Amino acid sequence: MSFSFFKARSKTPQDIARATKDSLLALDSPTVVEVKVLEKALEEVDKNFSAMKVMLCGDGEAEPNTDQILQLTVEICKEDVIPLLVHKLLIFGWQARKDLVLCWSVILRQEVDDSNCCVDYIENHLELLDFLVVCYDNKDVALTCGSMLRECIKFRSLAKYILDSASFHFFFKYVELPNFDVASDAFLTFKDLLTKHEKEVSEYLTSHYDEFFEMYETLLTSPNYVTRRQSLKLLTDFLLEAPNSQIMKKYIREIRYLKVIMTLLRDSSKNIQLSAFHIFKVFVANPNKTHEIKIILSKNCEKLLELLRSLSMGKGSEDEQFEEEKEMIISEIEKVSRFMNRERPS
């Protein structure tokens, strides 16, 4: 006798999307103010997230079905589940947030008819990105939101929106939050925003040059060692990229920023000194140095030469290149100093 009659029907993508939506909406019920009711509602959310994860990622024994993944992605958009996933995550438990991050990364990648339907959905609800950014203020969900944001930033249109939004400014605060894990995660997201899409970053820096670098100076001069070191390394990463050549040429004509980099050259940390050198050398090697830049280099010639001669990387092939660059910079500073001394009235 067959017992298949009693076998539970497998849930379809439509079933899972609808059940997930219903369980999330249930969190708004007036009765969830009672602890036991809330716990029950969150258990239902956990169960649906788990089912969603299995359909999207498999269960460890069977591979996920591609058609079901696409169908579930479409249903999540059609049922307006995405805003609920974002806005309700503040009350999710640890396991639910973990499952959400995994599911989020999968559905954002899915292309249906040559279109990323979830990305298209977010483009029409851009306030969701602002919400994820400001969630860095909540240490309980900050890492979850950070992971979800970095998945979004992989897409040009979403990264561009965040760069141009007012919420981008919050990153200058978040990277210095007292919670080390949250600050580190915020810096990862900040770095992705400034390095993932060169064209969009170049456009942003061109149109927000003064505003951005004024805020960035606060990171380079931060009393926090980690902030100084990370922001200086990141500055090298994006400023010296080919698409940002015009931004770099403008930056190295600014006395204000030369002084910041020279201060970092004197930092007590050797790592910061070495990173600062890679930006300082661009100021010095610039064939179109302003008269003001030449004056600063000439006035500080002796101190700069003493500092540079004591600076070394260690041993290895990289050290040889560094020493060659250092000698070239020393020679250029000496040359500028001699020229300025001849120009100076007696």
Side-chain angles (χ1 to χ4, degrees):
M1 178 180 175
S2 172
F3 290 92
S4 60
F5 178 80
F6 299 101
K7 194 173 182 180
R9 179 178 70 89
S10 297
K11 287 188 175 181
T12 66
Q14 291 85 349
D15 292 334
I16 292 176
R18 169 54 66 177
T20 300
K21 179 178 182 178
D22 290 344
S23 64
L24 291 170
L25 288 173
L27 296 174
D28 289 329
S29 170
T31 58
V32 297
V33 294
E34 300 175 24
V35 174
K36 288 185 178 179
V37 177
L38 176 59
E39 289 177 352
K40 185 66 178 175
L42 288 173
E43 283 178 14
E44 193 65 21
V45 170
D46 288 352
K47 183 177 75 174
N48 288 311
F49 277 15
S50 180
M52 186 162 56
K53 180 182 70 172
V54 169
M55 183 167 284
L56 292 171
C57 308
D59 60 5
E61 295 181 1
E63 290 295 314
N65 180 289
T66 302
D67 288 339
Q68 287 189 329
I69 293 175
L70 294 177
Q71 289 171 26
L72 180 54
T73 301
V74 170
E75 290 298 321
I76 285 172
C77 293
K78 191 167 78 174
E79 292 287 346
D80 290 317
V81 176
I82 290 179
L84 295 172
L85 296 175
V86 172
H87 289 299
K88 303 294 182 187
L89 64 82
L90 293 171
I91 57 175
F92 295 159
W94 178 83
Q95 185 60 49
R97 292 199 295 267
K98 181 180 177 183
D99 289 345
L100 172 58
V101 167
L102 191 55
C103 293
W104 186 263
S105 68
V106 175
I107 64 173
L108 253 64
R109 295 197 304 267
Q110 301 312 308
E111 290 193 6
V112 181
D113 297 329
D114 297 322
S115 173
N116 289 86
C117 60
C118 286
V119 174
D120 292 342
Y121 187 97
I122 296 172
E123 285 177 354
N124 291 312
H125 300 80
L126 290 167
E127 71 279 359
L128 296 175
L129 296 176
D130 294 314
F131 182 86
L132 288 173
V133 171
V134 298
C135 277
Y136 268 117
D137 271 325
N138 185 320
K139 69 180 190 310
D140 293 329
V141 299
L143 303 189
T144 298
C145 292
S147 296
M148 293 170 71
L149 274 172
R150 288 191 291 278
E151 289 298 327
C152 293
I153 289 166
K154 291 176 181 178
F155 301 92
R156 290 182 182 277
S157 60
L158 304 187
K160 178 175 175 55
Y161 171 77
I162 298 174
L163 281 171
D164 290 330
S165 72
S167 58
F168 176 63
H169 296 180
F170 290 129
F171 280 100
F172 292 90
K173 177 185 77 170
Y174 295 150
V175 299
E176 293 211 86
L177 286 171
N179 185 299
F180 178 79
D181 290 336
V182 174
S184 298
D185 193 275
F187 197 90
L188 281 177
T189 307
F190 187 55
K191 180 179 180 181
D192 279 3
L193 282 166
L194 291 171
T195 57
K196 284 289 183 186
H197 307 289
E198 294 176 346
K199 178 175 177 289
E200 285 69 22
V201 171
S202 180
E203 289 174 353
Y204 167 76
L205 292 176
T206 299
S207 58
H208 298 82
Y209 176 87
D210 292 327
E211 178 187 27
F212 174 80
F213 283 106
E214 184 173 334
M215 290 189 293
Y216 206 89
E217 183 180 347
T218 66
L219 301 182
L220 294 173
T221 57
S222 169
N224 186 302
Y225 163 75
V226 175
T227 300
R228 292 199 310 280
R229 182 175 177 181
Q230 288 183 326
S231 57
L232 185 56
K233 175 64 169 61
L234 177 57
L235 180 64
T236 307
D237 290 342
F238 71 80
L239 191 61
L240 302 185
E241 287 291 332
N244 295 328
S245 61
Q246 294 305 313
I247 302 295
M248 182 266 289
K249 288 176 182 177
K250 186 173 181 179
Y251 186 84
I252 61 174
R253 292 173 63 85
E254 304 255 15
I255 295 178
R256 171 180 181 173
Y257 300 131
L258 172 59
K259 289 179 177 179
V260 171
I261 300 302
M262 285 171 59
T263 299
L264 290 168
L265 268 178
R266 300 195 301 271
D267 196 276
S268 59
S269 164
K270 181 179 177 181
N271 287 320
I272 289 180
Q273 288 182 332
L274 290 170
S275 293
F277 172 78
H278 291 299
I279 300 225
F280 176 71
K281 69 185 181 186
V282 185
F283 277 93
V284 178
N286 177 20
N288 299 310
K289 288 186 283 292
T290 65
H291 185 71
E292 291 77 10
I293 293 285
K294 292 177 181 177
I295 290 174
I296 294 294
L297 293 176
S298 177
K299 283 186 174 180
N300 293 274
C301 177
E302 293 303 319
K303 290 181 180 178
L304 285 170
L305 296 184
E306 181 182 355
L307 190 154
L308 290 172
R309 284 171 180 144
S310 66
L311 192 61
S312 67
M313 286 188 68
K315 296 181 179 180
S317 57
E318 288 185 3
D319 182 52
E320 293 179 10
Q321 181 181 347
F322 173 79
E323 290 297 329
E324 289 177 5
E325 291 178 346
K326 191 174 74 171
E327 288 305 314
M328 181 189 74
I329 295 306
I330 288 174
S331 176
E332 179 63 21
I333 292 173
E334 290 175 330
K335 182 172 131 182
V336 168
S337 181
R338 287 195 299 270
F339 175 80
M340 296 304 293
N341 286 333
R342 285 199 302 269
E343 291 285 304
R344 194 173 298 146
S346 54

